[in-house]
Amino acid sequence: MDLTKAEIIALLADEANEQNLFKKADEIRRKNVGDEVHLRGLIEFSNICRNNCLYCGIRKDNKHACRYRMEPEEVIRTARNAADMGFKTIVMQSGEDMYYNQERMCHIISEIKKFDVAVTLSIGERSYADYKAFREAGADRYLMRIETTDKELYHRLDPQMSWQHRYECLLMIKELGYELGSGIMVGLPGQTLESIANDLLFLQELEIDMAGIGPFIPHPDTPLSKEKGETLELALRTMAVMRIMLPDINIPATTAMESLHPDGRMAALRAGANVVMPNVTEGEYRRLYELYPGKAGADEIPAHSRSMLAQKILSLGRTIGTDYGSHIRK
Ligand code: 5AD
């Protein structure tokens, strides 16, 4: 459904009526994508990053971050375990770590495709040739948040990066036939409701297949440590408005939401979300991929957290998706 910018801003601002908004988003979710919740197994395979985004705990200049990089065979093994647990999508996420060159990534992708899963990449900005090779190796989807469409804010928070270039990467990914996921953070220092409304209109215009909304959570070892973080509520309202604007896309209940409230993801599933991306990274690495503090699930065990999560989802009267859970345009 099309909303004007003024209508979007009014919905984002209306705390008093947010329960109505959540209910409406929940109904639209049910009519358009049904009661299935799709689980994606998320592997955070390297926290080494060449970028220096002011908000991010794994920014290059954070000397306190303990860096790790899983070897390709370890990534493949983790993916096999996740597929054995029943995940039908594997999401591979990392900092922008160029050790994973085209050849290494293509090897990992083609091996993981043997496990009968959809493969999603979330490894940032790469060349067209890389995106093309990854697609040919079998990658199905790509996630890359635009973070904000306020270019001034973007360039302040992501020094040395170019908003235009990031946007062009999203277009390349789309053109190559990936399912395209993007999204934003809400509550960035200096971000306004109007700016968030612009973000939602941008995501609609881009005809994305999925989009995640995360509340900004200040990390103590970053230049934004003293800033105020966002509340779960505004993130949920943003997500609910997005469901109204984009009725049939896949929307994750994000980990950042869960980090602000122990039931944040369940609240999101009742306000328009239909996807959860549990972390399936094993052992010590889980704690080290610290984009923001208090990241939910950092000290859980993948198989255990999957069954706990499945129980919670069933108790909401929802079901667990059994297929790839691709975006189906209506
Ligand atoms: N708070 C919330 N989300 C964050 N991200 C990075 N740092 C933070 C933070 N401090 C999000 C960005 C990125 C995604 C992987 O994590 O949106 O795209």
Side-chain angles (χ1 to χ4, degrees), residues 11-235:
L11 288 169
L12 294 176
D14 193 357
E15 282 174 50
N17 285 312
E18 68 177 15
Q19 292 307 327
N20 292 336
L21 171 66
F22 297 162
K23 205 162 152 256
K24 176 152 191 216
D26 195 44
E27 278 164 23
I28 293 177
R29 184 272 309 154
R30 186 166 41 78
K31 273 198 205 112
N32 288 276
V33 295
D35 278 335
E36 280 191 341
V37 175
H38 303 290
L39 301 183
R40 326 289 201 196
L42 174 67
I43 306 176
E44 296 162 336
F45 65 93
S46 166
N47 69 355
I48 296 171
C49 191
R50 62 180 172 181
N51 292 326
N52 226 353
C53 308
L54 266 52
Y55 44 79
C56 185
I58 66 168
R59 66 198 302 270
K60 184 176 64 189
D61 284 352
N62 179 10
K63 301 285 181 280
H64 295 291
C66 175
R67 304 288 169 173
Y68 72 90
R69 167 190 285 151
M70 287 163 65
E71 282 303 323
E73 295 316 307
E74 215 177 346
V75 182
I76 296 164
R77 198 166 0 99
T78 307
R80 183 186 314 113
N81 290 344
D84 287 346
M85 275 178 239
F87 288 100
K88 302 304 287 176
T89 296
I90 303 297
V91 182
M92 280 189 280
Q93 186 173 94
S94 69
E96 290 194 5
D97 178 358
M98 294 306 125
Y99 172 76
Y100 291 94
N101 56 17
Q102 194 182 108
E103 191 189 334
R104 288 197 177 97
M105 277 315 298
C106 287
H107 169 67
I108 298 175
I109 294 163
S110 56
E111 287 301 309
I112 295 182
K113 281 303 287 181
K114 294 179 185 165
F115 308 143
D116 183 28
V117 288
V119 167
T120 305
L121 301 180
S122 178
I123 61 174
E125 297 180 25
R126 306 283 295 227
S127 66
Y128 184 83
D130 279 357
Y131 288 139
K132 187 161 184 285
F134 302 158
R135 180 89 184 106
E136 283 164 3
D140 304 278
R141 308 182 186 135
Y142 207 102
L143 291 181
M144 186 160 62
R145 289 189 179 166
I146 193 71
E147 315 295 2
T148 172
T149 55
D150 177 337
K151 298 186 184 69
E152 211 268 318
L153 180 62
Y154 184 92
H155 291 126
R156 191 147 34 94
L157 298 182
D158 305 71
Q160 301 135 33
M161 293 179 77
S162 149
W163 189 91
Q164 186 62 27
H165 185 257
R166 197 167 186 82
Y167 175 53
E168 280 159 18
C169 285
L170 292 174
L171 297 180
M172 287 187 236
I173 292 165
K174 201 174 167 62
E175 186 228 290
L176 286 164
Y178 287 90
E179 272 189 68
L180 175 61
S182 191
I184 57 160
M185 279 179 285
V186 298
L188 292 168
Q191 191 184 37
T192 59
L193 292 186
E194 182 179 7
S195 165
I196 298 173
N198 287 332
D199 297 345
L200 293 179
L201 290 165
F202 169 87
L203 294 171
Q204 187 179 41
E205 170 89 27
L206 190 59
E207 298 190 339
I208 43 151
D209 299 289
M210 47 196 157
I213 307 290
F216 161 64
I217 305 173
H219 188 294
D221 300 322
T222 65
L224 301 185
S225 61
K226 298 278 184 311
E227 298 290 338
K228 209 166 114 314
E230 192 42 73
T231 58
L232 176 62
E233 285 69 29
L234 181 63

Side-chain angles (χ1 to χ4, degrees), residues 221-253:
D221 300 322
T222 65
L224 301 185
S225 61
K226 298 278 184 311
E227 298 290 338
K228 209 166 114 314
E230 192 42 73
T231 58
L232 176 62
E233 285 69 29
L234 181 63
L236 289 175
R237 290 201 293 280
T238 306
M239 189 198 72
V241 174
M242 185 168 74
R243 171 58 77 196
I244 295 171
M245 295 169 70
L246 292 161
D248 63 19
I249 66 166
N250 283 322
I251 301 182

